[in-house]
Amino acid sequence: MAQKPILEIRDLGKSYGNNDIFHNIDLTVYEGETIVIVGPSGTGKSTLLRCVNLLTRANHGNIFLDGEEITAPGYNEDVVRQHIGMVFQNFLLFNHLSALDNVMIGLTRVKGLSREAARQKALQELERVGLGDRAGHYPGQLSGGQQQRVAIARALAMDPRVMLFDEPTSALDPELIGEVLEVMRKLVLEGMTMLVVTHEMGFACEVADRIVFMEKGSIVEQGSPDDMLNRPKFDRTREFLGKITELFGKKEELRKAGRDE
């Protein structure tokens, strides 16, 4: 992995009134790196991703993409969202549009591509996520896993430098989680830079270059999956990762039992 910073977060903080969501976040992401962010609910993980994509504005701090400050006053948010793609928990597809049109819409309205050029690009991205044969289907005709893969294709169609995933499998039935994680594994192999909020510890241990543990609005500890699981510096890291790893193991047993029946 080339040690070239692609995304730099410096002293980032977000609050709503007296409610401190997160504070003093410093994180450098290198090109081609996969970072998995874990932590208890309500600790600011999802809000951090939204701030990186400028969907939510931080109260203080700076974010740099390829050395350029995207939090500078007047910076074009649409340009940021072309370069930093985001996949949400609940797909956020347009129900009245086909899978193809859901992927095309950003290409025509934001990138200004002709309809035919957008169509070709959208078909390419649907093929990339294994849905080339579902281009004409509407969200209501697709499973949750297929809808999430359309959402991934929509983000990829903009040719982003970085992809953000906010608990992309949390809204899925257990048997559909694997198909989404498989697409994400392919992106890792392709060298996509990714920040992923998830509790899927098997996936994290398999693909993450770093696991970042957040709690109470701050980064407690970060390191390789091996170091974080086997040699954490803090007791709280050991306690949290131990619990979710145990929970993940139980979920996997249930999934396997369901497949074997």
Side-chain angles (χ1 to χ4, degrees):
M1 181 183 64
Q3 291 297 301
K4 175 186 175 185
I6 187 170
L7 186 71
E8 297 172 88
I9 301 169
R10 296 286 174 261
D11 192 33
L12 205 69
K14 178 62 182 176
S15 61
Y16 294 101
N18 294 325
N19 185 18
D20 194 16
I21 307 300
F22 60 79
H23 50 270
N24 307 117
I25 297 293
D26 288 298
L27 185 66
T28 298
V29 182
Y30 295 96
E31 190 168 10
E33 190 175 25
T34 298
I35 293 179
V36 172
I37 304 173
V38 300
S41 296
T43 201
K45 306 182 300 296
S46 295
T47 304
L48 175 61
L49 292 192
R50 292 178 65 87
C51 285
V52 170
N53 201 39
L54 301 190
L55 289 168
T56 299
R57 284 283 181 171
N59 294 90
H60 65 79
N62 313 90
I63 303 172
F64 299 86
L65 180 68
D66 287 322
E68 187 172 1
E69 186 183 355
I70 62 174
T71 46
Y75 201 92
N76 191 325
E77 295 178 355
D78 287 336
V79 171
V80 172
R81 292 174 197 144
Q82 288 183 51
H83 295 307
I84 303 178
M86 188 158 180
V87 177
F88 302 87
Q89 298 178 32
N90 295 315
F91 325 140
L92 300 182
L93 300 179
F94 293 105
N95 289 324
H96 66 290
L97 297 180
S98 67
L100 180 65
D101 285 332
N102 265 285
V103 179
M104 286 177 58
I105 192 167
L107 294 169
T108 55
R109 294 193 179 183
V110 178
K111 280 202 163 184
L113 269 62
S114 69
R115 184 162 179 82
E116 181 55 30
R119 180 178 180 277
Q120 292 303 318
K121 176 65 171 172
L123 285 171
Q124 175 186 328
E125 298 302 340
L126 286 171
E127 288 283 356
R128 189 176 178 185
V129 300
L131 290 174
D133 60 344
R134 296 289 190 273
H137 287 58
Y138 289 83
Q141 299 171 307
L142 301 173
S143 70
Q146 290 171 333
Q147 290 183 60
Q148 189 62 294
R149 284 190 281 156
V150 172
I152 294 172
R154 178 181 58 190
L156 291 173
M158 306 302 284
D159 294 321
R161 298 279 287 134
V162 179
M163 283 283 286
L164 311 176
F165 292 87
D166 183 14
E167 298 196 33
T169 61
S170 66
L172 300 178
D173 291 335
E175 66 269 19
L176 301 177
I177 289 173
E179 64 188 63
V180 173
L181 294 181
E182 186 56 35
V183 169
M184 294 171 67
R185 287 187 187 96
K186 287 174 60 179
L187 294 179
V188 172
L189 293 175
E190 292 172 10
M192 176 64 70
T193 306
M194 296 165 46
L195 271 70
V196 184
V197 171
T198 185
H199 292 308
E200 293 288 334
M201 288 307 297
F203 172 79
C205 293
E206 179 185 348
V207 307
D209 295 291
R210 269 187 286 162
I211 293 176
V212 173
F213 173 47
M214 286 183 65
E215 186 172 48
K216 297 179 180 177
S218 65
I219 293 176
V220 176
E221 186 172 353
Q222 58 181 296
S224 70
D226 182 46
D227 284 342
M228 292 289 281
L229 289 170
N230 299 314
R231 293 175 295 277
K233 297 176 182 177
F234 299 101
D235 289 340
R236 180 60 185 134
T237 307
R238 180 181 293 105
E239 178 188 8
F240 180 82
L241 291 180
K243 285 181 178 178
I244 64 170
T245 301
E246 180 183 359
L247 179 61
F248 172 80
K250 290 179 179 178
K251 285 183 177 179
E252 279 298 289
E253 288 178 11
L254 289 172
R255 285 179 201 167
K256 289 178 181 178
R259 288 195 294 265
D260 291 342
E261 288 179 358

